[in-house]
Amino acid sequence: MKIKKSRLMQIIQEEISRLNEEDKYSDLNLDALALAAKEDPNAMGPLLGRLLQMPMIKRQAFKIAKGNEADAEDALQDMAIAIVNNLNSFRGDSAFSTWATTVVRNK
């Protein structure tokens, strides 16, 4: 599934605004949520919400941006797009965080 940057930001903003609300995916671990997102577009928001809060993803964005916060935001968005666009290749053989980090590094 390909997703445009503007739509991705809309999904992220919607999910951030719902973080305190309960949803049917709240009990899923990140790996299960990633597998669910492959089948159910409604799981994409919670997945992105959790993904963008992961310290290793944030660190990678700051590393790419060489510490510039505004550039790190852009890098984070680009990383999220790369992960979403490659989500169909996630099989669950490894932890989602490991897979996501690999996708970001190979982008």
Side-chain angles (χ1 to χ4, degrees), residues 7-8 13 33 42 52 58 63 67 77 96 100:
R7 175 65 181 132
L8 176 64
Q13 289 169 348
L33 185 56
N42 292 325
L52 296 177
K58 288 182 175 184
K63 184 178 177 182
Q77 292 172 24
F96 179 74

Side-chain angles (χ1 to χ4, degrees), residues 32-48:
L33 185 56
L35 291 170
K38 289 173 66 170
E39 302 297 325
D40 182 0
N42 292 325
M44 189 61 68
L47 175 64
L48 290 172

Side-chain angles (χ1 to χ4, degrees), residues 8 23 30 33 35 47 49 54 65 71 77 85-88 93 99 104 107:
L8 176 64
D23 63 56
L30 192 59
L33 185 56
L35 291 170
L47 175 64
M54 291 173 56
D71 290 344
Q77 292 172 24
N85 288 340
N86 288 284
L87 188 59
N88 283 332
D93 296 339
W99 174 87
V104 167
K107 170 180 121 36

Side-chain angles (χ1 to χ4, degrees), residues 20-86:
N20 294 328
E21 295 177 22
E22 213 171 276
D23 63 56
K24 66 181 183 178
Y25 298 107
S26 62
D27 290 337
L28 293 180
N29 69 31
L30 192 59
D31 296 347
L33 185 56
L35 291 170
K38 289 173 66 170
E39 302 297 325
D40 182 0
N42 292 325
M44 189 61 68
L47 175 64
L48 290 172
R50 290 190 203 174
L51 176 72
L52 296 177
Q53 298 303 314
M54 291 173 56
M56 69 174 56
I57 297 296
K58 288 182 175 184
R59 278 193 304 272
Q60 188 70 19
F62 274 98
K63 184 178 177 182
I64 290 169
K66 297 182 171 116
N68 181 302
E69 195 167 329
D71 290 344
E73 283 278 327
D74 288 341
L76 197 57
Q77 292 172 24
D78 292 341
M79 292 163 61
I81 290 170
I83 290 167
V84 169
N85 288 340
N86 288 284

